[in-house]
Amino acid sequence: CPQLPLCIYKACQCVPRIKDYGPLLDCDHRIGGYYHNHTKNQITMKRIVVLGAGESGAGAAVLAKVKGFDVFVSDMSAIKDKYKQQLDSHGILWEEGHHTEDLILNADEIIKSPGIPNDAPLVLKAKAKGIPIISEIEFAGRYTHAKMICITGSNGKTTTTSLIYHIFRSAGLNVGLAGNIGQSLALQVAEKDYDYYVIELSSFQLDNMYNFRANIAVLMNITPDHLDRYDHNMQNYIDAKFRIIQNQTHDDAFVFWNDDPIIQRELKKYGIQAKLCPFSELKEKGVIAYTEDNKLYFTEPIAFNMEEEELALNGTHNLYNSMAAGISANLAGIRKETIREALSDFKGVPHRLERVAAVDGVEYINDSKATNVNSCWYALQSMKTKTVLILGGKDKGNDYNEIADLVREKCSGLIFMGLYNEKLHDFFDGFGLPIVDVQSMKDAVDAAYQMAKKGETVLLSPCCASFDLFKSYEDRGDQFKKYVREL
């Protein structure tokens, strides 16, 4: 920008003390929450509009306010009381139950909740007006110099994120947990001063991230998921996941599952500058974490190993989660003794293969976070007994062929829980298993209690989103645990 030196070094006549407005962010002449308009020769407060007032949106609004922006929040749904109080305490204007376009389409920038599709009518109108639309993570990243450890994948990302955070905390590091779990990254940047952030990123969040940089990027796997948000085009979903490596440099690291065929294929498309850190179940050329003779080996940057039986989490999928977490901690310079101990005493995360109770000799397992078919595959694969499987919900373009063989091998019965179960019936009715349709969690648990025999397992692993009958997968899992405990 030819006017940039004038703004920084000489100041403009209308702004004799431009330094009072804080650091210049980029060449559109933004100074903190203000920008300098050379045509009008005046300073104007920059307007940020936040669409969606959940954890992400409310946190972004607070950070924007703290940084001196003119902030407005709009949510088509009702805003939870705790977020209203948060917005009110910072003097942030908000609306709920509708969008007032005149108050939104005058924004200099929009921060969009990841739950709002990119093709929503209001989003398309904003794009047509040339208003930049970003995510809360993108916005928060502008205001911190902390190291970013970012995790994505179709499955395993929540457990891996929680595990990495646990290791960093165990090492005594000053670390925050953010993204899809924990507190909003933006709110933490506004109110705290962490040296590291461990961030779980969904494809929806990655869609609206552009300049954000992950110092350590972790990609667990890629299997079909959320295809209803990606025009039922798998490549669109893949491209979103690979945005996690954008902007990485030679100083950064890319941790990934070496055996994932999609990841292997896509690697060839990118001139990746970051250090490649693949992991695999078996020892292969180039991998820096693998298993052999019931031991888990890490080879770089500091070599060490531990017995598989010492791991807190069981199952093949959790082996991969432990590898990714161990590599990330190793790259961060955490002592191998601390990594071993933390991998051994981790308590797991709610709603992911969570043991609820044993009733009359039947185990009940809550895997409500299994919102896609591949996640259910991992759950079934870890079952050691015959299993009554509870599945169903809002289908996201699922292909159930992936779990067909495991259902035939491991399941003694199926319970379809959803408003629309026709697709499930079309696929599974020919398997010769007893099937029950229900439309509430209490009926699902009661049906499972009647169906399961002593020594079997009841597994809630729905393959689907929760929004047909429940507020969230957490609500679905909490109801499952409640009614199991009432048996």
Side-chain angles (χ1 to χ4, degrees), residues 13 50 276 383:
Q13 293 180 2
V50 180
L276 299 181
M383 293 296 105

Side-chain angles (χ1 to χ4, degrees), residues 17 43 50 54 105 108 173 201 218 298 311 324 326 384 463 476:
R17 297 188 308 280
I43 287 291
V50 180
L105 297 179
D108 294 294
L173 297 179
L201 294 174
V218 181
F298 298 91
L311 295 172
K384 306 300 183 186
C463 294
R476 179 169 61 189

Side-chain angles (χ1 to χ4, degrees), residues 400 416 418-429 437:
Y400 295 103
F416 297 160
L419 293 177
Y420 306 102
N421 295 329
E422 293 85 358
K423 186 173 178 180
L424 294 171
H425 279 289
D426 289 344
F427 190 86
F428 291 108
D429 279 358
D437 283 272

Side-chain angles (χ1 to χ4, degrees), residues 181-212:
I181 54 176
Q183 203 175 41
S184 153
L185 176 64
L187 186 64
Q188 293 180 73
V189 170
E191 299 180 344
K192 298 171 184 175
D193 186 23
Y194 287 120
D195 298 321
Y196 299 87
Y197 285 103
V198 182
I199 308 171
E200 177 188 335
L201 294 174
S202 70
S203 59
F204 301 161
Q205 289 166 314
L206 288 162
D207 281 336
N208 293 108
M209 290 168 59
Y210 305 99
N211 297 311
F212 183 93

Side-chain angles (χ1 to χ4, degrees), residues 82-127:
K82 70 173 183 176
Y83 297 128
K84 289 180 181 178
Q85 293 167 9
Q86 192 176 76
L87 296 172
D88 288 342
S89 68
H90 287 84
I92 298 169
L93 297 177
W94 53 267
E95 66 178 359
E96 63 179 348
H98 63 280
H99 290 313
T100 304
E101 292 191 8
D102 289 347
L103 296 176
I104 295 170
L105 297 179
N106 63 354
D108 294 294
E109 194 166 43
I110 290 175
I111 302 171
K112 180 180 75 66
S113 164
I116 300 173
N118 284 326
D119 60 356
L122 186 59
V123 174
L124 294 177
K125 289 181 181 180
K127 288 179 179 178

Side-chain angles (χ1 to χ4, degrees), residues 48-166:
I48 293 282
V49 170
V50 180
L51 295 180
E55 180 68 28
S56 171
V62 170
L63 177 59
K65 188 71 173 182
V66 167
K67 294 301 177 182
F69 294 94
D70 171 25
V71 186
F72 178 65
V73 177
S74 180
D75 197 314
M76 276 295 287
S77 302
I79 301 174
K80 291 182 178 179
D81 287 343
K82 70 173 183 176
Y83 297 128
K84 289 180 181 178
Q85 293 167 9
Q86 192 176 76
L87 296 172
D88 288 342
S89 68
H90 287 84
I92 298 169
L93 297 177
W94 53 267
E95 66 178 359
E96 63 179 348
H98 63 280
H99 290 313
T100 304
E101 292 191 8
D102 289 347
L103 296 176
I104 295 170
L105 297 179
N106 63 354
D108 294 294
E109 194 166 43
I110 290 175
I111 302 171
K112 180 180 75 66
S113 164
I116 300 173
N118 284 326
D119 60 356
L122 186 59
V123 174
L124 294 177
K125 289 181 181 180
K127 288 179 179 178
K129 291 195 68 171
I131 303 172
I133 299 173
I134 62 171
S135 72
E136 170 243 341
I137 304 293
E138 174 78 7
F139 183 66
R142 297 173 181 173
Y143 298 99
T144 177
H145 296 292
K147 296 290 186 182
M148 301 292 186
I149 297 88
C150 301
I151 302 92
T152 196
S154 302
N155 299 296
K157 57 184 178 290
T158 300
T159 299
T160 303
T161 302
S162 301
L163 187 49
I164 293 172
Y165 176 68
H166 173 65

Side-chain angles (χ1 to χ4, degrees), residues 392-407:
K394 188 176 185 297
D395 188 284
K396 299 180 289 182
N398 291 346
D399 180 356
Y400 295 103
N401 281 294
E402 185 175 356
I403 60 171
D405 289 342
L406 281 172
V407 169

